[in-house]
């Protein structure tokens, strides 16, 4: 009798050695595969090196170590903890170490089928997370439904991935971007090895959400990544620009100051315990960051790639789309409510329009009244907090629209826009279509993440529709499929948008006036 879970699997040969995974409900799974060498000690702040070859067979049954990172804020005993459990199941699961260059693979077959490959880049804005910290990231359902190969990975983050030590000598010239170079090394590993796992190295899609969407955008401007991927999906990326050299050097100086080592050499920094380095970098970021502004989330100082003129010659999406990836089709979008929701803050549902107006005055300045009037006129039935959420989220959607338009303006490969507007019924609907809400749908993990989606027929069906769009895009470079209305691509001056909801619908430019007034404020 065929079992649903098997470990009597064939050995797979990679360019570094043999590995063996397991099969679960027909999907072959390999966890914690090494794509790069240990980055600790003299490897810290240095470009990644391929994994050293090994003899014998390595078992790929467990996730690998994750990049060192600061603890996330502890859960409070309210509905925010409930929603956190919905997506962050196993938050930061696994041991943290600088030997973290690991990837995971889910594939329907170890054969010569040459399936499309989807490489997932996790969120956490270059400082937090891993390829397996969210329950939504588990790739078996997506692999099974689409007959595709799904890959997720870990790479260096925060100060270890982006501290600019270029002034300490040529050998540290790329230190501000080694976290991104880790991803390039992983994509090279995919190119060289994925055929042995049933994948097609000539049909690779990179996709990521939040900080992971920023990683996709950055890779599209990196010469080292050219040719390693053939499609790109950007989900809820809040910034088209990366950090400039001057800002990165000021952050480096602030870290050294917090360490009490203003004259330290790079070799000394390679020996500082990570816990000490982490305390210093957190203090430095806090010291240099301006006050938070919900309408301008992309202007805060945080660890991110640096436009150094070498590894990253230009910004990923500003002032236009990079010509180096002109031939790569792109799918880009956001959620309706992004970061402005009432998870853990039920009192926000009782806001008055006078309170919203006062909040807008702080965020939008002299344009506050125009913003409030525009959104109230367009959505007269919305409550005050709904108006606030739409307005703040519009600035993030505007980034997606500009990204798609600039891509279309290159006149090479097309771009498509989506807007995820389905709102969870849980917790009286307070979460709305929050930042992260689309993840269980993209991975066809609606039931697995039922704490966030509620499960049920409507959500499950939407999950199938959304997953099928991502699968179609990975396979054909076009997200259209029979489960959705016709989905035209974006024009250089348009905002043609598929609204992913129950039911989904296409609109040519559903929110032009709102984006213009909020984005220009």
């Amino acid at each position: 009798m065929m079992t649903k879970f098997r470990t009597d699997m064939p050995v797979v040969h990679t360019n570094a050695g043999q590995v063996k995974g397991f099969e679960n409900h027909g999907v072959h799974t390999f966890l914690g595969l090494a794509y790069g060498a240990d980055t600790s000690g003299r490897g810290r702040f240095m470009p990644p090196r391929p994994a050293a070859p090994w003899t014998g067979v390595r078992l790929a049954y467990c996730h690998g170590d994750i990049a060192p990172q600061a603890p996330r804020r502890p859960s409070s005993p309210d509905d925010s903890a409930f929603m956190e459990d919905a997506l962050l199941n196993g938050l930061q699961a696994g041991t943290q170490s600088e030997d973290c260059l690991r990837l995971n693979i889910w594939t329907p077959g170890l054969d010569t089928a040459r399936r499309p490959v989807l490489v997932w880049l996790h969120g956490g804005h270059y400082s937090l997370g891993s390829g397996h910290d969210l329950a939504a990231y588990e790739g078996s359902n997506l692999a099974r439904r689409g007959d595709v190969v799904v890959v997720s990975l870990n790479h260096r983050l925060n100060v270890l991935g982006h501290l600019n030590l270029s002034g300490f000598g040529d050998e540290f010239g790329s230190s501000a971007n080694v976290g991104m170079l880790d991803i390039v090394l992983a994509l090279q590993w995919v190119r060289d090895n994925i055929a042995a796992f049933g994948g097609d190295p000539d049909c690779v899609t990179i996709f990521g959400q939040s900080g992971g969407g920023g990683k996709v955008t950055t890779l599209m401007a990196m010469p080292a990544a050219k040719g390693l991927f053939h499609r790109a999906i950007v989900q809820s990326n809040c910034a088209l620009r990366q950090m400039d050299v001057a800002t990165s050097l000021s952050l480096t100086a602030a870290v050294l100051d917090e360490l009490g080592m203003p004259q330290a050499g790079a070799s000394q920094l390679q020996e500082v315990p990570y816990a000490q380095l982490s305390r210093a970098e957190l203090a430095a970021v806090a010291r240099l960051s301006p006050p938070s502004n919900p309408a301008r989330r992309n202007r805060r100082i945080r660890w991110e790639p640096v436009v150094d003129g070498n590894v990253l010659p230009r910004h990923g999406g500003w002032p236009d789309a990079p010509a180096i990836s002109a031939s790569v089709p792109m799918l880009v979008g956001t959620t309706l409510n992004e970061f402005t929701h009432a998870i853990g803050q039920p009192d926000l549902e009782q806001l008055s329009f006078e309170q919203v107006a006062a909040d807008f005055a702080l965020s939008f300045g002299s344009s506050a009244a125009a913003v409030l009037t525009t959104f109230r006129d367009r959505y007269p039935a919305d409550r005050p907090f709904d108006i606030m959420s739409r307005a703040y989220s519009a600035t993030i959607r505007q980034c997606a629209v500009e990204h798609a338009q600039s891509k279309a303006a290159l006149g090479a490969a097309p771009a498509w826009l989506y807007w995820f507007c389905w709102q969870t019924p849980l917790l009286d609907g307070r979460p709305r279509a929050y930042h992260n809400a689309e993840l269980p749908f993209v991975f066809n993990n609606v039931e697995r993440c039922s704490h966030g989606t509620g499960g049920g027929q409507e959500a499950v069906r939407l999950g199938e529709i959304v997953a099928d769009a991502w699968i179609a895009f990975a396979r054909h470079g076009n997200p259209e499929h029979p489960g959705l209305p016709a989905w035209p691509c974006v024009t250089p001056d348009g905002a043609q948008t598929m609204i992913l909801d129950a039911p989904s619908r296409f609109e040519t430019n559903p929110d032009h006036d709102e984006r213009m007034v909020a984005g220009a404020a």
Side-chain angles (χ1 to χ4, degrees):
M1 181 177 68
M2 181 69 69
T3 59
K4 294 181 179 179
F5 193 99
R6 298 171 52 204
T7 56
D8 56 331
M9 301 293 296
V11 169
V12 177
H13 296 263
T14 74
N15 58 4
Q18 301 178 85
V19 298
K20 182 181 177 183
F22 60 89
E23 181 181 331
N24 188 11
H25 289 74
V27 174
H28 304 268
T29 304
F30 298 82
L31 304 177
L33 297 179
Y35 70 85
D38 189 345
T39 64
S40 64
R42 295 305 174 194
R44 183 186 281 184
F45 309 126
M46 300 293 288
R49 296 165 290 120
W54 62 83
T55 58
V57 178
R58 284 191 175 182
L59 299 181
Y61 292 170
C62 301
H63 290 293
D65 290 355
I66 69 171
Q69 53 197 270
R72 297 191 185 181
R73 288 177 296 179
S75 298
S76 55
D78 56 20
D79 55 13
S80 61
F82 180 86
M83 293 302 297
E84 184 174 86
D85 182 62
L87 283 176
L88 307 184
N89 182 31
L91 177 63
Q92 296 183 338
T95 304
Q96 297 186 15
S97 83
E98 292 181 61
D99 187 10
C100 63
L101 304 188
R102 299 289 186 269
L103 56 78
N104 313 300
I105 299 174
W106 295 268
T107 177
L110 303 174
D111 50 31
T112 59
R114 294 180 71 88
R115 298 170 179 83
V117 181
L118 292 101
V119 179
W120 175 250
L121 305 178
H122 68 79
H125 201 87
Y126 308 99
S127 291
L128 299 167
S130 74
H132 62 272
D133 67 342
L134 274 65
Y137 295 170
E138 208 279 336
S140 59
N141 284 339
L142 184 61
R144 184 184 301 108
R145 181 169 184 85
D147 192 30
V148 296
V149 179
V150 179
V151 179
S152 67
L153 60 98
N154 301 340
H155 59 90
R156 280 175 285 182
L157 301 168
N158 51 69
V159 66
L160 298 178
H162 299 288
L163 185 68
N164 190 345
L165 299 175
S166 57
F168 290 75
D170 291 343
E171 62 180 324
F172 295 100
S174 59
S175 63
N177 288 305
V178 292
M180 293 303 304
L181 290 176
D182 292 346
I183 300 174
V184 170
L185 182 63
L187 291 172
Q188 292 171 340
W189 189 98
V190 168
R191 177 196 62 196
D192 297 340
N193 294 282
I194 207 65
F197 296 86
D200 184 355
D202 296 320
C203 187
V204 174
T205 297
I206 54 173
F207 69 133
Q209 181 263 355
S210 192
K215 296 166 194 175
V216 173
T217 300
T218 302
L219 287 166
M220 295 178 76
M222 288 179 63
K226 182 176 174 57
L228 295 176
F229 60 93
H230 314 93
R231 331 253 195 261
I233 304 176
V234 181
Q235 302 171 214
S236 294
N237 175 33
C238 306
L240 302 182
R241 308 185 197 189
Q242 286 66 52
M243 187 177 286
D244 60 81
V245 170
T247 302
S248 72
L249 290 175
S250 68
L251 188 50
T252 298
V255 170
L256 295 177
D257 185 57
E258 293 290 342
L259 285 170
M261 303 167 62
Q263 305 302 319
S267 60
Q268 291 174 272
L269 294 176
Q270 289 176 323
E271 299 173 357
V272 174
Y274 177 74
Q276 181 181 351
L277 197 59
S278 178
R279 288 192 295 271
E281 61 102 352
L282 291 172
V285 168
R287 189 208 309 176
L288 296 182
S289 293
S292 179
N293 183 331
R296 296 288 179 268
R297 294 188 65 89
N298 57 338
R299 296 184 181 179
R300 295 183 296 175
I301 292 178
R302 299 186 289 184
W303 293 108
E304 57 187 48
V306 175
V307 181
D308 63 357
N310 181 23
V311 174
L312 185 59
R314 52 154 293 161
H315 294 286
W318 183 88
D320 51 19
I324 194 172
S325 56
S327 63
V328 177
M330 183 176 73
L331 173 62
V332 57
T334 61
T335 66
L336 175 63
N337 303 103
E338 288 294 350
F339 300 96
T340 309
H341 49 68
I343 299 174
Q345 303 178 80
D347 290 348
L348 291 176
E349 302 291 356
Q350 308 306 318
L351 285 180
S352 67
F353 279 115
E354 289 74 20
Q355 290 171 305
V356 172
D359 200 87
F360 279 8
L362 297 175
S363 298
F364 293 112
S366 61
S367 299
V371 173
L372 182 56
T373 298
T374 299
F375 279 85
R376 290 194 69 178
D377 287 349
R378 177 65 190 275
Y379 305 103
D382 276 14
R383 293 174 297 173
F385 182 65
D386 290 307
I387 295 294
M388 175 186 285
S389 179
R390 285 184 182 273
Y392 287 147
S393 300
T395 64
I396 299 173
R397 173 159 151 80
Q398 179 62 16
C399 287
V401 172
E402 291 176 0
H403 202 178
Q405 289 174 339
S406 65
K407 176 69 174 176
L410 292 177
W416 281 267
L417 264 172
Y418 75 86
W419 197 9
F420 188 86
C421 294
W422 185 87
Q423 301 187 38
T424 178
L426 297 178
L427 303 176
D428 300 321
R430 288 195 302 276
R432 295 169 171 78
Y434 58 100
H435 190 70
N436 293 332
E438 87 283 13
L439 293 177
F441 297 81
V442 166
F443 283 87
N444 199 31
N445 281 331
V446 168
E447 292 284 17
R448 180 182 179 87
C449 299
S450 58
H451 275 114
T453 66
Q457 185 175 0
E458 179 181 280
V460 168
R461 178 56 186 147
L462 181 58
E464 293 170 344
I465 288 170
V466 172
D468 285 350
W470 267 238
I471 291 163
F473 184 77
R475 190 174 299 279
H476 305 296
N478 184 326
E480 291 188 295
H481 65 81
L484 285 169
W487 189 349
C489 58
V490 175
T491 57
D493 58 352
Q496 294 84 352
T497 303
M498 181 61 68
I499 297 175
L500 297 172
D501 204 343
S504 297
R505 64 192 186 277
F506 175 82
E507 294 191 23
T508 299
N509 197 344
D511 59 341
H512 175 270
D513 291 347
E514 300 93 273
R515 285 186 292 103
M516 291 302 97
V517 69

